Amino acid sequence: MADAGVADLPVSPEWLPLLTELGDLKRTYSANAAGSIAERLFARGWGALAAGQDAGAVMRAIVSTALAAARLGDLDRERLMLLGLSADAAATVLARALDEVAGPLDPALCEMLRAAVGEGAPDPAPLPGFVAKLARQPRAGVTCPGRPRLMLQPAENHAEHSVAVAIYAALLAPGFAADPVAAFLAGIAHHLYSADMPDSGFSGEMLLGDELDGVIARSREMALADLSPPVAAMARAAVALIVDDATPEARAFHAADVLDRVLETAQHLRAREATMDVVLHEYELVHAGPVKPFHDAVLRRVGLL
């Protein structure tokens, strides 16, 4: 594909707040579950796909859950119902959260995801072995041949990156006239080879030279051996789709992949650059309430305000 002009691309700055919030699911935890929300969404998605569940239904469940979680965190359907909400009330809360972040979304896709938000998680299923490996496999950070690695800590893992790209790709797909399901599958499958191939980044890939493609192919097949033949074939087809940017689905995927890689780095830099003025005034760390004047007086007294 020829280089696309900026004006020709169906992405814009209005996407960044939503994609940033979704990326932060890599860093969102709660007491009742192990791993980040993103890590658990990756496991839930692959458990459902490996069990032969419909890929479209899996995409809708994972992406709608992620959109609601951008604002509600781990207050998902199951937790809300455990805490006393009816199924209908829980669905209303989740849809309200989704609506808060839905600004840039394609209206038809948004409506489809809004309908799915109250359906609950896919049925639990045994997880392929690569799921746990990818959750333990950290991303390389920023690497460049001939230069030392720039470590980003805490590091995201490959399960978190993969599901973030899958979610982004599904959401961006309509703008590229792409199938959201195919774009989602490409995202969730694109780093299966990393289950058995530790990530040494761009630097390591260049050092492998002519051996790189073979190493990746063998490592991917090791992961695919955890799947039934039909599901493995689906994953191979999803990965084959993204060897270039010749199709709408590939362009949606590659847009999602590069955005996640850069936004992940940006969040580390953003946190480092935050000032107390931003935290107290823009984010209202000490927010309005009956004791705010007292809180402000305490902070002024010790020199923090």
Side-chain angles (χ1 to χ4, degrees):
M1 177 185 173
D3 288 344
V6 171
D8 298 326
L9 291 172
V11 289
S12 65
E14 71 171 334
W15 278 94
L16 292 182
L18 171 58
L19 299 182
T20 299
E21 284 193 76
L22 290 169
D24 282 341
L25 297 180
K26 302 171 189 175
R27 290 165 282 280
T28 308
Y29 300 83
S30 65
N32 295 291
S36 69
I37 290 178
E39 184 179 313
R40 285 179 272 124
L41 287 174
F42 179 81
R44 183 188 296 181
W46 268 114
L49 291 169
Q53 295 185 34
D54 175 71
V58 175
M59 182 280 288
R60 291 189 295 273
I62 298 303
V63 178
S64 64
T65 299
L67 287 168
R71 292 295 167 88
L72 285 171
D74 257 332
L75 278 175
D76 59 11
R77 180 180 184 271
E78 290 72 25
R79 181 59 46 177
L80 289 169
M81 293 176 66
L82 180 66
L83 295 173
L85 274 66
S86 68
D88 286 346
T92 297
V93 171
L94 294 166
R96 191 181 300 145
L98 187 152
D99 288 343
E100 280 201 3
V101 299
L105 300 186
D106 172 77
L109 178 62
C110 184
E111 190 57 36
M112 180 193 305
L113 295 170
R114 198 176 189 278
V117 81
E119 294 177 356
D123 294 333
L127 296 178
F130 62 73
V131 169
K133 290 181 181 180
L134 287 166
R136 293 192 302 266
Q137 193 77 275
R139 298 272 289 162
V142 179
T143 68
C144 180
R147 296 177 180 272
R149 186 184 306 205
L150 177 60
M151 303 296 290
L152 302 177
Q153 295 294 330
E156 64 176 330
N157 62 52
H158 277 275
E160 292 167 330
H161 167 68
S162 296
V163 81
V165 173
I167 292 164
Y168 292 3
L171 296 177
L172 293 170
F176 289 92
D179 174 13
V181 179
F184 174 87
L185 289 173
I188 207 168
H190 81 287
H191 260 289
L192 290 182
Y193 66 87
S194 295
D196 287 293
M197 182 181 174
D199 191 353
S200 56
F202 182 30
S203 299
E205 292 176 354
M206 293 300 98
L207 290 169
L208 280 166
D210 292 341
E211 302 291 346
L212 176 63
D213 290 344
V215 169
I216 288 176
R218 287 189 291 274
S219 188
R220 180 179 291 121
E221 286 303 312
M222 291 167 69
L224 291 172
D226 293 337
L227 300 171
S228 68
V231 179
M234 179 179 69
R236 285 191 193 93
V239 172
L241 190 69
I242 57 175
V243 295
D244 54 30
D245 62 352
T247 67
E249 290 73 23
R251 291 192 285 278
F253 162 81
H254 286 294
D257 185 42
V258 71
L259 284 165
D260 185 62
R261 283 190 283 141
V262 175
L263 285 171
E264 177 65 20
T265 304
Q267 77 85 22
H268 286 273
L269 300 177
R270 188 174 68 250
R272 184 176 298 176
E273 294 169 358
T275 65
M276 190 59 72
D277 184 67
V278 167
V279 169
L280 287 174
H281 296 105
E282 291 186 28
Y283 282 83
E284 298 185 77
L285 177 64
V286 183
H287 49 76
V291 296
K292 186 176 188 303
F294 178 75
H295 287 165
D296 288 346
V298 170
L299 295 175
R300 285 194 192 94
R301 179 63 176 165
V302 299
L304 290 173
L305 187 64

mmCIF file of all heavy atoms in Angstrom, residues 81-115:
data_model
loop_
_atom_site.group_PDB
_atom_site.id
_atom_site.type_symbol
_atom_site.label_atom_id
_atom_site.label_comp_id
_atom_site.label_asym_id
_atom_site.label_seq_id
_atom_site.Cartn_x
_atom_site.Cartn_y
_atom_site.Cartn_z
ATOM 1 N N MET A 81 -23.781 -7.847 40.248
ATOM 2 C CA MET A 81 -24.872 -8.722 40.661
ATOM 3 C C MET A 81 -24.578 -9.357 42.019
ATOM 4 O O MET A 81 -25.473 -9.513 42.854
ATOM 5 C CB MET A 81 -25.135 -9.771 39.587
ATOM 6 C CG MET A 81 -25.695 -9.174 38.297
ATOM 7 S SD MET A 81 -25.923 -10.388 36.967
ATOM 8 C CE MET A 81 -27.218 -11.423 37.668
ATOM 9 N N LEU A 82 -23.319 -9.707 42.271
ATOM 10 C CA LEU A 82 -22.943 -10.233 43.585
ATOM 11 C C LEU A 82 -23.216 -9.215 44.682
ATOM 12 O O LEU A 82 -23.573 -9.573 45.810
ATOM 13 C CB LEU A 82 -21.457 -10.616 43.569
ATOM 14 C CG LEU A 82 -20.891 -11.195 44.863
ATOM 15 C CD1 LEU A 82 -21.520 -12.559 45.173
ATOM 16 C CD2 LEU A 82 -19.376 -11.329 44.766
ATOM 17 N N LEU A 83 -23.080 -7.932 44.339
ATOM 18 C CA LEU A 83 -23.295 -6.864 45.313
ATOM 19 C C LEU A 83 -24.752 -6.411 45.371
ATOM 20 O O LEU A 83 -25.060 -5.402 46.018
ATOM 21 C CB LEU A 83 -22.384 -5.681 44.980
ATOM 22 C CG LEU A 83 -20.880 -5.973 45.119
ATOM 23 C CD1 LEU A 83 -20.052 -4.815 44.602
ATOM 24 C CD2 LEU A 83 -20.521 -6.280 46.569
ATOM 25 N N GLY A 84 -25.646 -7.142 44.714
ATOM 26 C CA GLY A 84 -27.066 -6.915 44.926
ATOM 27 C C GLY A 84 -27.848 -6.333 43.778
ATOM 28 O O GLY A 84 -29.071 -6.198 43.877
ATOM 29 N N LEU A 85 -27.187 -5.978 42.663
ATOM 30 C CA LEU A 85 -27.938 -5.444 41.536
ATOM 31 C C LEU A 85 -28.590 -6.578 40.755
ATOM 32 O O LEU A 85 -28.041 -7.680 40.652
ATOM 33 C CB LEU A 85 -27.030 -4.637 40.599
ATOM 34 C CG LEU A 85 -26.805 -3.162 40.952
ATOM 35 C CD1 LEU A 85 -26.029 -3.023 42.247
ATOM 36 C CD2 LEU A 85 -26.090 -2.446 39.806
ATOM 37 N N SER A 86 -29.766 -6.294 40.215
ATOM 38 C CA SER A 86 -30.380 -7.258 39.297
ATOM 39 C C SER A 86 -29.603 -7.269 37.993
ATOM 40 O O SER A 86 -28.795 -6.370 37.713
ATOM 41 C CB SER A 86 -31.828 -6.855 39.020
ATOM 42 O OG SER A 86 -31.866 -5.651 38.264
ATOM 43 N N ALA A 87 -29.855 -8.264 37.157
ATOM 44 C CA ALA A 87 -29.180 -8.327 35.861
ATOM 45 C C ALA A 87 -29.487 -7.085 35.034
ATOM 46 O O ALA A 87 -28.596 -6.522 34.375
ATOM 47 C CB ALA A 87 -29.598 -9.594 35.119
ATOM 48 N N ASP A 88 -30.737 -6.631 35.078
ATOM 49 C CA ASP A 88 -31.118 -5.443 34.304
ATOM 50 C C ASP A 88 -30.436 -4.191 34.846
ATOM 51 O O ASP A 88 -29.960 -3.349 34.075
ATOM 52 C CB ASP A 88 -32.634 -5.263 34.313
ATOM 53 C CG ASP A 88 -33.350 -6.275 33.424
ATOM 54 O OD1 ASP A 88 -32.663 -6.928 32.613
ATOM 55 O OD2 ASP A 88 -34.582 -6.392 33.556
ATOM 56 N N ALA A 89 -30.375 -4.065 36.169
ATOM 57 C CA ALA A 89 -29.735 -2.891 36.769
ATOM 58 C C ALA A 89 -28.246 -2.877 36.472
ATOM 59 O O ALA A 89 -27.660 -1.828 36.173
ATOM 60 C CB ALA A 89 -29.977 -2.868 38.269
ATOM 61 N N ALA A 90 -27.618 -4.056 36.541
ATOM 62 C CA ALA A 90 -26.191 -4.136 36.225
ATOM 63 C C ALA A 90 -25.948 -3.748 34.774
ATOM 64 O O ALA A 90 -25.006 -3.000 34.468
ATOM 65 C CB ALA A 90 -25.676 -5.544 36.493
ATOM 66 N N ALA A 91 -26.794 -4.224 33.865
ATOM 67 C CA ALA A 91 -26.646 -3.887 32.449
ATOM 68 C C ALA A 91 -26.799 -2.389 32.225
ATOM 69 O O ALA A 91 -26.094 -1.795 31.403
ATOM 70 C CB ALA A 91 -27.664 -4.657 31.621
ATOM 71 N N THR A 92 -27.701 -1.758 32.971
ATOM 72 C CA THR A 92 -27.901 -0.315 32.847
ATOM 73 C C THR A 92 -26.658 0.447 33.280
ATOM 74 O O THR A 92 -26.225 1.401 32.612
ATOM 75 C CB THR A 92 -29.110 0.127 33.685
ATOM 76 O OG1 THR A 92 -30.287 -0.508 33.170
ATOM 77 C CG2 THR A 92 -29.284 1.627 33.643
ATOM 78 N N VAL A 93 -26.048 0.043 34.381
ATOM 79 C CA VAL A 93 -24.834 0.698 34.868
ATOM 80 C C VAL A 93 -23.701 0.528 33.857
ATOM 81 O O VAL A 93 -22.984 1.484 33.539
ATOM 82 C CB VAL A 93 -24.432 0.135 36.243
ATOM 83 C CG1 VAL A 93 -23.061 0.645 36.661
ATOM 84 C CG2 VAL A 93 -25.473 0.504 37.303
ATOM 85 N N LEU A 94 -23.549 -0.688 33.351
ATOM 86 C CA LEU A 94 -22.478 -0.956 32.388
ATOM 87 C C LEU A 94 -22.674 -0.158 31.099
ATOM 88 O O LEU A 94 -21.716 0.394 30.549
ATOM 89 C CB LEU A 94 -22.421 -2.446 32.085
ATOM 90 C CG LEU A 94 -22.008 -3.341 33.265
ATOM 91 C CD1 LEU A 94 -22.319 -4.795 32.954
ATOM 92 C CD2 LEU A 94 -20.534 -3.170 33.582
ATOM 93 N N ALA A 95 -23.904 -0.097 30.625
ATOM 94 C CA ALA A 95 -24.185 0.675 29.411
ATOM 95 C C ALA A 95 -23.915 2.157 29.640
ATOM 96 O O ALA A 95 -23.416 2.858 28.745
ATOM 97 C CB ALA A 95 -25.632 0.452 28.976
ATOM 98 N N ARG A 96 -24.225 2.640 30.837
ATOM 99 C CA ARG A 96 -23.961 4.046 31.173
ATOM 100 C C ARG A 96 -22.462 4.332 31.117
ATOM 101 O O ARG A 96 -22.024 5.371 30.609
ATOM 102 C CB ARG A 96 -24.513 4.333 32.567
ATOM 103 C CG ARG A 96 -24.548 5.812 32.969
ATOM 104 C CD ARG A 96 -25.104 5.943 34.382
ATOM 105 N NE ARG A 96 -26.457 5.409 34.464
ATOM 106 C CZ ARG A 96 -26.966 4.772 35.520
ATOM 107 N NH1 ARG A 96 -26.216 4.559 36.593
ATOM 108 N NH2 ARG A 96 -28.206 4.343 35.509
ATOM 109 N N ALA A 97 -21.662 3.393 31.629
ATOM 110 C CA ALA A 97 -20.206 3.560 31.578
ATOM 111 C C ALA A 97 -19.700 3.531 30.145
ATOM 112 O O ALA A 97 -18.853 4.341 29.755
ATOM 113 C CB ALA A 97 -19.537 2.459 32.407
ATOM 114 N N LEU A 98 -20.214 2.607 29.353
ATOM 115 C CA LEU A 98 -19.810 2.529 27.950
ATOM 116 C C LEU A 98 -20.148 3.827 27.226
ATOM 117 O O LEU A 98 -19.336 4.359 26.459
ATOM 118 C CB LEU A 98 -20.493 1.337 27.289
ATOM 119 C CG LEU A 98 -20.088 0.973 25.858
ATOM 120 C CD1 LEU A 98 -20.298 -0.516 25.606
ATOM 121 C CD2 LEU A 98 -20.872 1.780 24.820
ATOM 122 N N ASP A 99 -21.335 4.356 27.484
ATOM 123 C CA ASP A 99 -21.759 5.581 26.799
ATOM 124 C C ASP A 99 -20.824 6.752 27.109
ATOM 125 O O ASP A 99 -20.634 7.644 26.278
ATOM 126 C CB ASP A 99 -23.181 5.948 27.207
ATOM 127 C CG ASP A 99 -24.230 5.013 26.604
ATOM 128 O OD1 ASP A 99 -23.895 4.294 25.641
ATOM 129 O OD2 ASP A 99 -25.367 4.994 27.118
ATOM 130 N N GLU A 100 -20.231 6.763 28.313
ATOM 131 C CA GLU A 100 -19.357 7.874 28.691
ATOM 132 C C GLU A 100 -18.095 7.946 27.830
ATOM 133 O O GLU A 100 -17.518 9.013 27.673
ATOM 134 C CB GLU A 100 -18.956 7.767 30.171
ATOM 135 C CG GLU A 100 -20.011 8.258 31.126
ATOM 136 C CD GLU A 100 -19.427 8.630 32.481
ATOM 137 O OE1 GLU A 100 -18.185 8.554 32.651
ATOM 138 O OE2 GLU A 100 -20.207 8.986 33.370
ATOM 139 N N VAL A 101 -17.661 6.808 27.300
ATOM 140 C CA VAL A 101 -16.409 6.797 26.537
ATOM 141 C C VAL A 101 -16.628 6.575 25.044
ATOM 142 O O VAL A 101 -15.676 6.484 24.285
ATOM 143 C CB VAL A 101 -15.452 5.702 27.078
ATOM 144 C CG1 VAL A 101 -15.094 5.968 28.524
ATOM 145 C CG2 VAL A 101 -16.037 4.302 26.921
ATOM 146 N N ALA A 102 -17.883 6.521 24.618
ATOM 147 C CA ALA A 102 -18.198 6.061 23.261
ATOM 148 C C ALA A 102 -18.066 7.125 22.185
ATOM 149 O O ALA A 102 -18.311 6.830 21.009
ATOM 150 C CB ALA A 102 -19.621 5.488 23.239
ATOM 151 N N GLY A 103 -17.653 8.333 22.533
ATOM 152 C CA GLY A 103 -17.656 9.445 21.590
ATOM 153 C C GLY A 103 -17.149 9.147 20.196
ATOM 154 O O GLY A 103 -17.846 9.403 19.208
ATOM 155 N N PRO A 104 -15.923 8.612 20.034
ATOM 156 C CA PRO A 104 -15.399 8.430 18.671
ATOM 157 C C PRO A 104 -15.857 7.164 17.965
ATOM 158 O O PRO A 104 -15.497 6.953 16.799
ATOM 159 C CB PRO A 104 -13.880 8.376 18.902
ATOM 160 C CG PRO A 104 -13.734 7.800 20.264
ATOM 161 C CD PRO A 104 -14.907 8.320 21.057
ATOM 162 N N LEU A 105 -16.650 6.323 18.622
ATOM 163 C CA LEU A 105 -16.968 5.013 18.049
ATOM 164 C C LEU A 105 -17.968 5.108 16.897
ATOM 165 O O LEU A 105 -18.847 5.969 16.889
ATOM 166 C CB LEU A 105 -17.540 4.088 19.117
ATOM 167 C CG LEU A 105 -16.660 3.780 20.322
ATOM 168 C CD1 LEU A 105 -17.332 2.737 21.208
ATOM 169 C CD2 LEU A 105 -15.282 3.310 19.894
ATOM 170 N N ASP A 106 -17.836 4.197 15.952
ATOM 171 C CA ASP A 106 -18.824 4.046 14.886
ATOM 172 C C ASP A 106 -20.182 3.741 15.514
ATOM 173 O O ASP A 106 -20.280 2.842 16.369
ATOM 174 C CB ASP A 106 -18.407 2.898 13.972
ATOM 175 C CG ASP A 106 -19.473 2.549 12.965
ATOM 176 O OD1 ASP A 106 -19.616 3.282 11.980
ATOM 177 O OD2 ASP A 106 -20.164 1.523 13.189
ATOM 178 N N PRO A 107 -21.241 4.467 15.152
ATOM 179 C CA PRO A 107 -22.537 4.279 15.826
ATOM 180 C C PRO A 107 -23.071 2.854 15.754
ATOM 181 O O PRO A 107 -23.596 2.335 16.745
ATOM 182 C CB PRO A 107 -23.455 5.261 15.095
ATOM 183 C CG PRO A 107 -22.539 6.319 14.588
ATOM 184 C CD PRO A 107 -21.269 5.609 14.226
ATOM 185 N N ALA A 108 -22.949 2.196 14.600
ATOM 186 C CA ALA A 108 -23.482 0.836 14.484
ATOM 187 C C ALA A 108 -22.701 -0.132 15.365
ATOM 188 O O ALA A 108 -23.286 -0.986 16.045
ATOM 189 C CB ALA A 108 -23.443 0.384 13.030
ATOM 190 N N LEU A 109 -21.376 -0.024 15.367
ATOM 191 C CA LEU A 109 -20.570 -0.886 16.231
ATOM 192 C C LEU A 109 -20.855 -0.584 17.688
ATOM 193 O O LEU A 109 -20.975 -1.499 18.520
ATOM 194 C CB LEU A 109 -19.083 -0.687 15.931
ATOM 195 C CG LEU A 109 -18.121 -1.497 16.800
ATOM 196 C CD1 LEU A 109 -18.330 -2.994 16.606
ATOM 197 C CD2 LEU A 109 -16.672 -1.110 16.510
ATOM 198 N N CYS A 110 -21.007 0.690 18.018
ATOM 199 C CA CYS A 110 -21.294 1.072 19.397
ATOM 200 C C CYS A 110 -22.601 0.459 19.870
ATOM 201 O O CYS A 110 -22.695 -0.055 20.991
ATOM 202 C CB CYS A 110 -21.335 2.592 19.516
ATOM 203 S SG CYS A 110 -21.572 3.173 21.203
ATOM 204 N N GLU A 111 -23.613 0.486 19.031
ATOM 205 C CA GLU A 111 -24.907 -0.074 19.414
ATOM 206 C C GLU A 111 -24.793 -1.583 19.610
ATOM 207 O O GLU A 111 -25.388 -2.152 20.542
ATOM 208 C CB GLU A 111 -25.945 0.239 18.340
ATOM 209 C CG GLU A 111 -27.374 -0.081 18.751
ATOM 210 C CD GLU A 111 -27.817 0.621 20.022
ATOM 211 O OE1 GLU A 111 -27.406 1.782 20.247
ATOM 212 O OE2 GLU A 111 -28.552 -0.005 20.835
ATOM 213 N N MET A 112 -24.045 -2.249 18.758
ATOM 214 C CA MET A 112 -23.829 -3.689 18.905
ATOM 215 C C MET A 112 -23.129 -4.003 20.226
ATOM 216 O O MET A 112 -23.502 -4.925 20.957
ATOM 217 C CB MET A 112 -22.984 -4.201 17.735
ATOM 218 C CG MET A 112 -22.696 -5.698 17.776
ATOM 219 S SD MET A 112 -21.390 -6.149 16.591
ATOM 220 C CE MET A 112 -22.089 -5.490 15.063
ATOM 221 N N LEU A 113 -22.120 -3.224 20.565
ATOM 222 C CA LEU A 113 -21.381 -3.456 21.802
ATOM 223 C C LEU A 113 -22.218 -3.086 23.022
ATOM 224 O O LEU A 113 -22.139 -3.742 24.066
ATOM 225 C CB LEU A 113 -20.081 -2.650 21.786
ATOM 226 C CG LEU A 113 -19.078 -3.071 20.709
ATOM 227 C CD1 LEU A 113 -17.932 -2.072 20.621
ATOM 228 C CD2 LEU A 113 -18.544 -4.471 20.981
ATOM 229 N N ARG A 114 -23.020 -2.050 22.886
ATOM 230 C CA ARG A 114 -23.893 -1.653 23.993
ATOM 231 C C ARG A 114 -24.886 -2.765 24.313
ATOM 232 O O ARG A 114 -25.185 -3.036 25.482
ATOM 233 C CB ARG A 114 -24.627 -0.364 23.637
ATOM 234 C CG ARG A 114 -25.223 0.382 24.833
ATOM 235 C CD ARG A 114 -25.851 1.695 24.372
ATOM 236 N NE ARG A 114 -26.222 2.516 25.491
ATOM 237 C CZ ARG A 114 -27.341 2.374 26.197
ATOM 238 N NH1 ARG A 114 -28.193 1.403 25.875
ATOM 239 N NH2 ARG A 114 -27.614 3.171 27.212
ATOM 240 N N ALA A 115 -25.396 -3.436 23.291
ATOM 241 C CA ALA A 115 -26.323 -4.547 23.501
ATOM 242 C C ALA A 115 -25.628 -5.723 24.164
ATOM 243 O O ALA A 115 -26.249 -6.479 24.920
ATOM 244 C CB ALA A 115 -26.932 -4.973 22.171
#
